[in-house]
Every structure is written in structure tokens, then in C-alpha cells.
Amino acid sequence: MQKVESYVVGIDLGGTKIAAALFDSKGTVLKRELMETAGARTAKEVVQRMIDMIRSVSEGRPLTGVGLASPGAVNSQDGIVIHGTNLPEWDNVPLKHWMELELGVEVKVVNDANAAAWGEYVRGAGKGADNMVYVTFSTGIGAGIVIDGKLLLGKNSFAGELGHNIIDPNGTECSCGRFGCWEVFASGTAIRDMALRSMESRPSMITELANINGEKITSRHVFEAMALNDPVAVEVIDRSIHYMALGLANAVHTFNPDRIVIGGGVSKAGDLLFPALVEKTELFVMDPYKGTFTIEPAALKDDVGLIGAAALFHTT
Ligand SMILES: [Zn+2]
């Protein structure tokens, strides 16, 4: 008897764009669509837009389920977006309930960092690991944890907010309103800000590198200048890696992972980042943890949220 193919739609709901794709059970994208979120301001309007996209990409095929990655605080047990970052007017939106009523198939909702972590675990750089810590260094720091092959959610699905672990209470103010969180020391934004502060008193080629294409300075330019032995950039990256490693070492002690997967813009720095990050993290962990984990760059690119959302149903 021929096996019936199982189709899943993955959705990545962003503040500016909604991406939807139809996946087969091997994780292959069969059809995809991208729409602006703007124009649909209320939650009901956004949900209607997503339902239209699901119907369009699935082209009448029966679905096993719909996996949805949402920004902000998400209660995955009940499928409720409690507070949507970058989605104004989103407060306690029962996404799962609304969409299941309309579609008649199971809908699973996770926050975008957890979706990305799950995507890397099932289909990317976390494949084959049993315990994985996923950390994305970009505007902020996002994280998702897989323990014994399961996504760690916690009571309200808020587990794994490593970016807001306070590593120095005397540090600067964080977007969360508290002081000295890991992300004010080690995110891409933190690297840029540290470089800008250093450049107030010392010249650096970071400015020229950004000016070549008329870009605003980002952490990427700091890494580029570091590759050219710019003293300011070398110092800033060295300090940033110190802080990145410090937070990763805390995660190693907390979760005892066999693999750490690094995503986000900063992870594109490749050899300018990884060897030093591994060395420093090993230095910061207690003896029994040394040599028990690897640190790898993420394998999936912009589709990681979509892939992870769909993989909530297709786990092999
Ligand atoms: Zn914070």
C-alpha cells in the first residue's frame, strides 16, 4: 500500500512580513508565499491573511497541521500570543483557537526563537544532538533549548530567555527595562555600540568600511575591520567574544548541552569568531564540562523560522 504523504504548512509571522510555505514530510518546500504584515493592523485581519495564505499554498491538499512562529511572548500550550513584539495591538490573541476553528486542522504556535531552535535541531546544525542550546546574536540575543530531544518550554513557555540573564547589574539599560542583561554586552547591537564608543576617542577604519556602500555601522563592519587588524576593532571583538563566551558558559552549566548552535548576523563572521569563541567558552566552564560540547554555526538561513514551525509536526 502506498504511504499517504503528510503535508504541513509552516508560517513565520514577522512585524513587517508573513512567510508561509507548504512542506512535505521530508521538509521540502513545495510552494511558498510572502506578504506584507502592514495594512492588516488588527490581530483578526492578520489571522485572516494567514488563513488565506495557508489555503493558497496548500492548494486543496489535506494538511496534517499548521506550525506557526510568532514574535513576542507566546504561550505554546494554549497557542496564545500574550504580547507581540513589533505587532501593535496584540494582547492575549488566541491564535491556535481562531485558526483551528477556521481550518479544521491542528495548529501549533511557538515563539520565533524556539521555532528557529527547533528548525536547527531537526533539519540544521543541531541534527543528531540530544541536547542543544541555540543562541542567535543579532539586534538582541534570542535562544531556544532542546533537552533530551524536546523543546524546553516551561510553565508559560517562557523558558530559555538567555539574552535577559543579568551578567552585570551595573551594566547599561536593556530593552526589557532592567540593567546589565547578557544582550547589552554581547548582541550585534552591543558590538556596534562598543565600537562607536571606542571611536569617540580613537580613529578606526570601521567608519570607512561602512561608508564604502553608504551603510550605517553594524557589527559586520567591526568584524571586517578586525580582519584588517584595525586596533579598535580587534579590541572590541575581543571584548565581545569574552562576553559571548561568558553567557554560553552559563548555558553550558545550566543545560549540559552536547551542541551549541549559533545563529543571527554575528554568526556569519565565521573564522573571525568561532575558534576564539570555542576557546573562551572552554576557559569559562568548570573542569567536568570541558570538551563536552561543540559550538557550530547555524546551517539554515532566512527560512529557519518557517522550517522550524513546520518541523513541529515533522520531527524526522
Ligand atoms: Zn533584558
Side-chain angles (χ1 to χ4, degrees):
M1 213 171 81
Q2 209 186 351
K3 189 177 166 279
V4 179
E5 179 58 278
S6 157
Y7 299 102
V8 169
V9 172
I11 300 220
D12 189 0
L13 169 61
T16 55
K17 286 189 173 70
I18 306 167
L22 177 72
F23 290 82
D24 67 13
S25 55
K26 292 192 191 78
T28 312
V29 172
L30 303 175
K31 192 170 182 224
R32 65 163 69 218
E33 261 184 33
L34 189 68
M35 281 186 92
E36 303 287 323
T37 315
R41 302 309 299 169
T42 68
K44 281 259 182 198
E45 283 170 343
V46 174
V47 167
Q48 191 52 52
R49 198 163 278 198
M50 290 193 291
I51 285 165
D52 293 343
M53 290 172 84
I54 292 162
R55 291 196 169 126
S56 166
V57 295
S58 56
E59 293 179 321
R61 293 178 182 88
L63 297 176
T64 304
V66 172
L68 202 151
S70 164
V74 176
N75 175 332
S76 291
Q77 280 89 348
D78 302 321
I80 296 171
V81 176
I82 293 162
H83 174 72
T85 323
N86 303 327
L87 294 168
E89 299 167 41
W90 279 58
D91 233 351
N92 290 311
V93 176
L95 265 190
K96 178 183 168 74
H97 180 66
W98 284 357
M99 293 180 74
E100 284 182 349
L101 269 183
E102 191 74 25
L103 294 164
V105 296
E106 187 181 3
V107 176
K108 293 184 182 182
V109 186
V110 290
N111 91 1
D112 44 16
N114 280 339
W118 191 244
E120 285 293 337
Y121 178 72
V122 177
R123 309 247 179 243
K127 248 186 192 173
D130 293 318
N131 300 283
M132 183 198 81
V133 168
Y134 171 80
V135 180
T136 166
F137 295 97
S138 49
T139 314
I141 293 181
I145 317 292
V146 176
I147 295 289
D148 296 328
K150 285 208 178 87
L151 197 56
L152 184 74
L153 293 173
K155 181 176 183 289
N156 303 99
S157 323
F158 298 164
E161 276 291 354
L162 303 186
H164 297 284
N165 278 345
I166 292 171
I167 60 165
D168 180 356
N170 298 314
T172 50
E173 191 173 6
C174 180
S175 61
C176 70
R178 301 168 321 136
F179 291 82
C181 293
W182 189 26
E183 75 171 37
V184 302
F185 288 96
S187 63
T189 310
I191 295 174
R192 182 203 61 196
D193 290 350
M194 210 191 298
L196 290 175
R197 276 197 304 275
S198 298
M199 289 192 298
E200 281 170 12
S201 52
R202 294 157 68 196
S204 160
M205 60 174 76
I206 295 169
T207 316
E208 292 146 52
L209 287 167
N211 281 344
I212 292 172
N213 294 317
E215 295 165 336
K216 282 195 174 140
I217 291 172
T218 67
S219 59
R220 180 170 58 82
H221 303 114
V222 187
F223 276 104
E224 282 172 11
M226 180 218 180
L228 299 168
N229 286 319
D230 176 80
V232 169
V234 169
E235 202 178 289
V236 166
I237 296 299
D238 192 55
R239 278 191 67 195
S240 303
I241 291 176
H242 167 92
Y243 284 118
M244 292 165 87
L246 215 147
L248 293 183
N250 288 344
V252 168
H253 292 144
T254 313
F255 301 110
N256 188 201
D258 41 297
R259 202 169 303 166
I260 298 173
V261 175
I262 307 291
V266 172
S267 72
K268 292 176 187 144
D271 283 350
L272 295 173
L273 170 69
F274 283 89
L277 185 60
V278 171
E279 194 188 318
K280 279 263 170 86
T281 308
E282 285 284 354
L283 203 68
F284 283 139
V285 295
M286 291 193 296
D287 281 346
Y289 296 87
K290 293 188 194 295
T292 60
F293 58 91
T294 59
I295 302 181
E296 321 258 351
L300 306 175
K301 307 236 157 26
D302 294 345
D303 277 345
V304 64
L306 267 183
I307 293 169
L312 293 168
F313 288 92
H314 291 148
T315 54
T316 51

